Amino acid sequence: MRKVILASVVGFFAALCVSVSSVQAAPYCGLTWGSGAKSSSTTTTRSLTNIRTGRHTCYDRMTFDLSGSGATGYKVEYVSNVVGIASGKPIHLTGGAKLRIVINAPIKSTYTGVEDKTLPGVDLSGYSTFKSAKYGSSFEGKTLVGLGVRSKLPFRVLKSGNHVIVDVAHYW
């Protein structure tokens, strides 16, 4: 009788372990983005007029506003250090990971960004993922922004009308 009870208990726990291990967690908020580099090589004659941020339920968002119409290229990637395009000087960011964002558009002369300084008008207080955002530089038709994030998290890049949008998930 003991062998039957013991076999039943062992069988129950074995079945429980198999069923638990075969269940996979659903992606956070259904996001399936990934953390690899994303780019579009399109060039443009448009200018970058503003950079702004927003908080959403599942991600933090950085939006690059552009003048005119037409496609605009970009390259967004995690790097160990962000450096200015022309100067090669480090852009000092806080957070566990650093995103290097290059928009293929020069900055409009009215934008007041200063290399290695916080983006004008951007306050990241209360953000889940974004920790720091600094202007890198604008040189030869490209504008660089450094974005410090909590850790290396999934992100996506969208183009919509006069905007290039970078969303970084709050969790994996």
Side-chain angles (χ1 to χ4, degrees):
M1 183 69 165
R2 284 187 195 180
K3 288 182 181 181
V4 171
I5 293 173
L6 182 60
S8 296
V9 170
V10 169
F12 171 76
F13 283 112
L16 181 64
C17 289
V18 168
S19 66
V20 169
S21 66
S22 65
V23 175
Q24 294 188 5
Y28 175 74
C29 289
L31 305 178
T32 57
W33 301 340
S35 61
K38 294 159 181 67
S39 65
S40 167
S41 61
T42 307
T43 58
T44 186
T45 56
R46 302 168 77 181
S47 294
L48 184 59
T49 59
N50 192 34
I51 302 168
R52 54 196 168 87
T53 59
R55 293 179 298 193
H56 296 266
T57 303
C58 299
Y59 54 87
D60 289 344
R61 171 171 282 181
M62 180 172 280
T63 302
F64 298 85
D65 298 328
L66 300 152
S67 64
S69 60
T72 299
Y74 57 84
K75 183 166 188 179
V76 182
E77 62 186 331
Y78 281 106
V79 295
S80 42
N81 292 301
V82 177
V83 297
I85 294 175
S87 70
K89 293 179 182 176
I91 307 302
H92 301 92
L93 299 166
T94 58
K98 298 168 183 134
L99 272 173
R100 179 179 188 267
I101 303 170
V102 176
I103 305 296
N104 294 352
I107 204 81
K108 188 132 179 117
S109 61
T110 55
Y111 188 80
T112 58
V114 176
E115 187 171 2
D116 198 29
K117 299 295 181 193
T118 302
L119 295 174
V122 171
D123 179 6
L124 299 180
S125 301
Y127 279 69
S128 296
T129 299
F130 293 173
K131 298 301 170 194
S132 61
K134 293 188 176 179
Y135 180 70
S137 54
S138 189
F139 184 69
E140 294 186 343
K142 296 181 185 305
T143 300
L144 168 73
V145 168
L147 180 60
V149 296
R150 191 178 71 247
S151 62
K152 190 173 181 180
L153 294 162
F155 70 94
R156 69 177 174 182
V157 182
L158 307 168
K159 292 194 281 186
S160 176
N162 290 347
H163 313 286
V164 174
I165 301 163
V166 177
D167 293 332
V168 182
H170 292 167
Y171 302 101
W172 272 99

